[in-house]
Amino acid sequence: LLIAIMGDIFDNIQENANSEFLFARAEIIIEIENMLSTSDLKNEEWFPIWLQVLVPTQSDEDNGSSDAWQGKMRALRKTITDVEAKLGSEISDLKTKLVESDAERRLAEAKRDEAMTELSTQIKLSNAKSDRMEEMLSQLLGQKMEEEQNDTKEKEEGGEA
């Protein structure tokens, strides 16, 4: 437990080390300026009107080798941020694919509905033709039966005469 607590304390110190260093430097500068006289503060050689700032070309966070010195918490935060960015990108890609898939599904459904409508129309036409053919066959059958009855009557009448 003691080792874990000390590890956490060390991580917290490492996280705040750069901030603490800059704060201490600022306090020292203020302390030195407070010790100077007004005439010294107006000396343009010591305190020019402009300020030159130097910026490193590559920060410690960019080269990745300083993770061990930055503290475990900062390394974990960076890893979590990287994973979040990657997951966000993947989620965005999946949403795009889902929208495309949904559009394709709707198009397929529209084509299916169109085909079903066409098939239904063809079935109705076939049923109408079938009904018409059945009606015609009934008429033909009725005519044939009448002819046979007439022929039978004529034979019977011809046989009686």
Side-chain angles (χ1 to χ4, degrees):
L1 179 64
L2 180 61
I3 293 173
I5 292 171
M6 293 195 51
D8 286 342
I9 292 171
F10 178 77
D11 289 341
N12 290 335
I13 290 171
Q14 288 295 39
E15 271 188 59
N16 299 323
N18 192 34
S19 303
E20 293 293 329
F21 168 74
L22 293 174
F23 184 74
R25 180 187 277 178
E27 284 181 330
I28 292 170
I29 291 171
I30 290 171
E31 189 177 330
I32 291 171
E33 285 181 354
N34 286 336
M35 291 191 304
L36 296 174
S37 65
T38 308
S39 62
D40 287 338
L41 290 172
K42 291 183 181 180
N43 183 353
E44 287 191 19
E45 188 176 316
W46 288 0
F47 299 98
I49 296 173
W50 48 269
L51 177 66
Q52 181 176 0
V53 178
L54 300 176
V55 179
T57 57
Q58 183 178 12
S59 70
D60 287 340
E61 292 179 10
D62 291 342
N63 67 15
S65 64
S66 65
D67 284 344
W69 300 103
Q70 296 289 330
K72 294 176 189 168
M73 295 303 289
R74 184 171 288 167
L76 282 173
R77 284 189 191 118
K78 184 178 183 308
T79 302
I80 289 171
T81 303
D82 293 345
V83 168
E84 283 177 341
K86 183 179 178 183
L87 287 177
S89 173
E90 289 178 5
I91 288 172
S92 177
D93 291 345
L94 287 174
K95 283 181 181 178
T96 302
K97 288 179 182 177
L98 183 63
V99 168
E100 290 172 355
S101 168
D102 189 49
E104 289 174 359
R105 181 188 55 81
R106 288 183 183 180
L107 181 62
E109 284 177 355
K111 286 182 178 180
R112 182 203 64 208
D113 291 345
E114 184 179 318
M116 290 296 286
T117 303
E118 184 178 331
L119 187 60
S120 176
T121 304
Q122 288 177 357
I123 289 173
K124 286 178 184 176
L125 288 173
S126 293
N127 285 341
K129 286 180 182 178
S130 172
D131 290 345
R132 179 70 180 136
M133 289 173 73
E134 186 178 332
E135 185 180 310
M136 290 172 70
L137 283 172
S138 274
Q139 287 176 359
L140 285 173
L141 186 60
Q143 287 174 358
K144 191 70 168 164
M145 286 178 73
E146 272 183 40
E147 286 176 6
E148 284 181 11
Q149 284 176 356
N150 288 339
D151 286 346
T152 307
K153 281 184 185 179
E154 285 178 9
K155 285 183 185 178
E156 287 177 3
E157 289 176 5
E160 289 179 14

